[in-house]
Amino acid sequence: IISLDDKPDPEFLDMKRRFLISAVLTLPIFALAMAEMLPNFHQIISAKTSVWIQFILSIPVVLYCGFPFFVRAVQSVKNLSPNMFTLIGIGTGAAFLFSLVALFAPQIFPIITLVLLGQVLELKARAQTSSAIKELLGLAPKTATVLFEDGTEAEIPLGDLQEGATLRVKANEKIPTDGVILEGETT
């Protein structure tokens, strides 16, 4: 709601607070995760201790700081209107749950199997995206009505259309290509 009051936006303040908490907790998580690649790091902190510290610090990041994203993801699913928040909610939720299982039962997930699962999921998503694009392309008209300089017109296959041609688009027809409107009107 827009008003003349100079009060700060409460949603902005809430998101800013969540961001600051998340940043403060994420920095040590990141440092620990990266430090594991350093030689002799596990002589300072054991791998198990490092993972548990990362887990404990990640709980408020995901469950408190990320809570608004999960709320919006659930709303988008309820409204049958998936959006960016659906993707964020599903992605971060799945990653967090996967991490929990990996932490408490690491023997369940052989590494190669996980990599293969990731590849299968990626290829499946890519195939679905590809089929959606093909469906969209299938909606495009296959022909265009070309208007010649002598006033005659002819319907030609879209593949035969030449750059610079003048097209006539009649009422309720799909527009076959990008262009500039020279004349006409619609409501």
Side-chain angles (χ1 to χ4, degrees):
I1 298 173
I2 299 175
S3 72
L4 295 175
D5 296 339
D6 279 342
K7 294 179 184 175
D9 179 8
E11 184 180 17
F12 169 75
L13 293 176
D14 180 55
M15 281 296 165
K16 184 177 176 182
R17 182 180 67 252
R18 289 175 191 272
F19 167 73
L20 291 173
I21 292 168
S22 178
V24 166
L25 295 173
T26 301
L27 285 173
I29 294 170
F30 178 76
L32 284 170
M34 294 299 107
E36 290 179 7
M37 292 184 249
L38 297 174
N40 303 325
F41 172 74
H42 293 299
Q43 292 176 353
I44 301 167
I45 297 177
S46 73
K48 190 173 185 177
T49 302
S50 176
V51 169
W52 276 99
I53 292 171
Q54 292 174 58
F55 167 66
I56 291 166
L57 293 174
S58 70
I59 291 172
V61 172
V62 174
L63 300 181
Y64 171 73
C65 298
F67 185 74
F69 301 128
F70 292 113
V71 170
R72 290 177 181 170
V74 169
Q75 289 171 344
S76 69
V77 170
K78 281 183 181 176
N79 296 330
L80 300 175
S81 178
N83 56 34
M84 176 185 74
F85 295 109
T86 314
L87 182 63
I88 292 168
I90 291 171
T92 56
F96 187 70
L97 291 175
F98 173 79
S99 297
L100 285 177
V101 173
L103 177 65
F104 291 106
Q107 70 281 4
I108 291 178
F109 298 118
I111 296 298
I112 296 298
T113 304
L114 289 178
V115 173
L116 288 172
L117 173 63
Q119 288 295 299
V120 168
L121 293 174
E122 178 186 346
L123 292 170
K124 182 179 179 184
R126 196 180 308 158
Q128 289 172 340
T129 302
S130 177
S131 70
I133 291 171
K134 287 177 186 175
E135 286 180 35
L136 285 173
L137 290 174
L139 296 175
K142 308 286 185 249
T143 60
T145 304
V146 177
L147 183 63
F148 298 105
E149 289 180 15
D150 64 1
T152 61
E153 58 185 59
E155 192 170 301
I156 64 168
L158 205 54
D160 294 342
L161 191 60
Q162 298 292 316
E163 186 175 336
T166 302
L167 306 181
R168 173 166 283 150
V169 180
K170 299 173 185 165
N172 299 319
E173 280 187 341
K174 296 176 185 172
I175 299 174
T177 185
D178 290 341
V180 176
I181 299 174
L182 300 175
E183 65 179 271
E185 59 186 68
T186 186
T187 55

